[in-house]
């Protein structure tokens, strides 16, 4: 795999961009059990925990094999959560993707469009 890292990706309605620490203050990140009940971490009710998560992700953007995007809706310039890899196996040219979308944006085609962007991106670098 020819790794490119978390680069800006764009499609009709979405931008996949790097997180900024300011994104921690967006209410799409916390206090919604339905959004995170299947994830490995507990509900984010404290801004400092969210800041720590984002700080960790941001610190890894220099690595070409790190892929974690903020999903931003172009029309409103709103970050509606995240999508990125959780496991990469270069020997098999295989990876796993995890996403999390704010409940206010469920059933609007955002996840489908985000996955479409990433499938095309990863096919090009394999």
């Amino acid at each position: 795999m020819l790794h490119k890292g978390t680069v800006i990706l764009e499609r009709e309605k979405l931008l996949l961009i790097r997180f900024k620490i300011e994104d921690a203050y967006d209410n799409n990140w916390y206090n919604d059990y339905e959004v995170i009940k299947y994830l490995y971490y507990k509900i984010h009710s404290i801004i400092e925990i969210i800041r720590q998560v984002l700080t960790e992700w941001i610190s890894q953007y220099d690595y070409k094999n790190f892929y974690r995007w903020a999903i931003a809706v172009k029309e409103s310039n709103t970050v509606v959560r995240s999508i990125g890899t959780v496991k990469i196996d270069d020997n098999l040219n295989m990876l796993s993707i995890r996403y999390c979308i704010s409940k206010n944006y469920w059933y609007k085609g955002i996840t489908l469009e985000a996955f479409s962007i990433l499938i095309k991106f990863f096919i090009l670098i394999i």
Side-chain angles (χ1 to χ4, degrees):
M1 215 178 277
L2 176 64
H3 291 288
K4 295 189 176 200
T6 306
V7 297
I8 295 173
L9 301 171
E10 184 174 359
R11 192 132 175 220
E12 184 179 325
K13 297 177 185 176
L14 298 182
L15 282 172
L16 300 186
I17 57 177
R18 290 181 172 194
F19 280 100
K20 303 176 302 295
I21 200 65
E22 297 81 30
D23 294 324
Y25 301 100
D26 188 319
N27 67 2
N28 286 321
W29 273 96
Y30 53 88
N31 292 329
D32 192 341
Y33 176 75
E34 289 296 313
V35 172
I36 66 164
K37 69 182 176 182
Y38 299 112
L39 300 179
Y40 65 91
Y41 50 83
K42 301 296 180 200
I43 192 161
H44 286 157
S45 59
I46 303 171
I47 294 293
E48 189 53 39
I49 294 171
I50 300 165
R51 285 178 50 85
Q52 288 173 8
V53 169
L54 292 184
T55 299
E56 174 64 25
W57 291 349
I58 292 166
S59 74
Q60 295 186 54
Y61 282 143
D62 288 336
Y63 298 104
K64 293 294 184 191
N65 65 345
F66 180 76
Y67 301 98
R68 183 67 52 141
W69 289 272
I71 302 171
V73 176
K74 282 183 177 181
E75 183 177 89
S76 62
N77 197 30
T78 303
V79 171
V80 298
R81 288 296 293 254
S82 64
I83 192 165
T85 59
V86 289
K87 182 179 180 184
I88 298 173
D89 188 326
D90 286 324
N91 295 324
L92 296 175
N93 284 332
M94 185 173 70
L95 53 86
S96 298
I97 297 172
R98 174 176 55 208
Y99 69 94
C100 190
I101 304 292
S102 174
K103 191 173 181 181
N104 294 334
Y105 295 90
W106 289 4
Y107 310 111
K108 296 183 181 197
I110 290 172
T111 305
L112 176 63
E113 187 169 338
F115 266 92
S116 296
I117 294 168
L118 289 189
I119 289 168
K120 288 179 181 178
F121 171 74
F122 285 119
I123 286 173
L124 290 175
I125 67 171
I126 290 181

